[in-house]
Amino acid sequence: MTGLNVGTTRGGVLVFYASMALFGLASSLAGDPTYEAVLLWMGRGFGFFMGGALVLVGLQELHGAEIEEELNGRPDEPVWRLVNKVLAWGSPLVSAWQFYSGNIWEGFMYLGYPAWLILLRLEARRRRIVSGRDRVRTFWRALLYLSAAACAVSFALTVVLPHGGPKFLWDGEVYRFFPFLTMASVPFIIIGAVGCGGKLHD
């Protein structure tokens, strides 16, 4: 289809947003708070796992130049370039509004599209490093090492301290600081490793 070619990776992003929208609509019509919450989380879970799986499968199908085209749009895709810009700029704004309104999880969900763009850039960088067209920069090594150190230290403190250390309140739920830090550091370890292209030294 000229102007709007929906490949596997793009399809994954659309599945993510479409599932949230459909289940969100269903939850608004449920009329029961319990069912509303269940439907909302079903939409988030289905969108995350199905959309994420499609994106990862699609990345394996793309060559280096095609990843750049996913980011910037192909010359014969004026519609997708417009959609890309709207989602790239609109999603963070909607996410910021959700955070401001106190809807923490919704705020994270609306960051899905920017996260997809970041994933594409990381994968393009990883391939350049693997092929020798780029080198590993200090920032990515520092991110990997600092995240790994934070994960190791916070995990050790989680085990040693009673109940995982101090607690804090977030979105009406009580969390323990060091277990939360352990979980939060894992994605940054993965991002740092991808940014290094799997090379810890030159």
Side-chain angles (χ1 to χ4, degrees):
M1 179 179 177
T2 303
L4 183 59
N5 177 29
V6 180
T8 307
T9 57
R10 296 177 185 178
V13 177
L14 295 177
V15 165
F16 175 76
Y17 280 100
S19 65
M20 285 204 307
L22 289 174
F23 279 90
L25 177 62
S27 70
S28 67
L29 300 174
D32 185 288
T34 302
Y35 289 136
E36 289 178 9
V38 170
L39 287 170
L40 279 175
W41 281 104
M42 284 178 62
R44 293 166 181 170
F46 181 82
F48 179 79
F49 287 108
M50 291 300 298
L54 286 172
V55 168
L56 292 177
V57 169
L59 281 177
Q60 303 305 313
E61 300 173 352
L62 298 176
H63 301 294
E66 291 174 325
I67 293 179
E68 299 294 338
E69 291 175 346
E70 286 290 315
L71 287 166
N72 304 316
R74 298 175 179 85
D76 61 341
E77 294 182 327
V79 176
W80 180 258
R81 286 202 300 272
L82 177 61
V83 171
N84 183 44
K85 289 181 179 179
V86 170
L87 292 177
W89 289 99
S91 295
L93 293 176
V94 175
S95 176
W97 173 253
Q98 293 290 346
F99 282 127
Y100 177 77
S101 301
N103 303 318
I104 304 299
W105 290 109
E106 285 77 4
F108 280 120
M109 292 296 104
Y110 281 106
L111 290 176
Y113 195 82
W116 176 67
L117 295 177
I118 292 171
L119 177 64
L120 288 177
R121 293 190 183 280
L122 283 172
E123 177 62 15
R125 173 173 179 75
R126 186 191 69 80
R127 296 189 186 192
R128 289 197 303 270
I129 292 174
V130 170
S131 64
R133 291 181 290 124
D134 202 350
R135 61 183 180 84
V136 181
R137 304 188 185 277
T138 304
F139 169 80
W140 296 106
R141 284 203 180 100
L143 178 63
L144 175 60
Y145 293 142
L146 289 174
S147 300
C151 183
V153 172
S154 60
F155 178 76
L157 291 173
T158 298
V159 175
V160 172
L161 295 177
H163 307 294
K167 60 184 179 181
F168 64 95
L169 187 67
W170 183 31
D171 196 25
E173 299 289 339
V174 176
Y175 295 88
R176 295 289 175 173
F177 177 73
F178 291 114
F180 181 84
L181 181 59
T182 302
M183 292 186 295
S185 61
V186 172
F188 289 98
I189 294 175
I190 297 172
I191 291 172
V194 174
C196 290
K199 295 183 179 180
L200 300 182
H201 55 79
D202 294 324

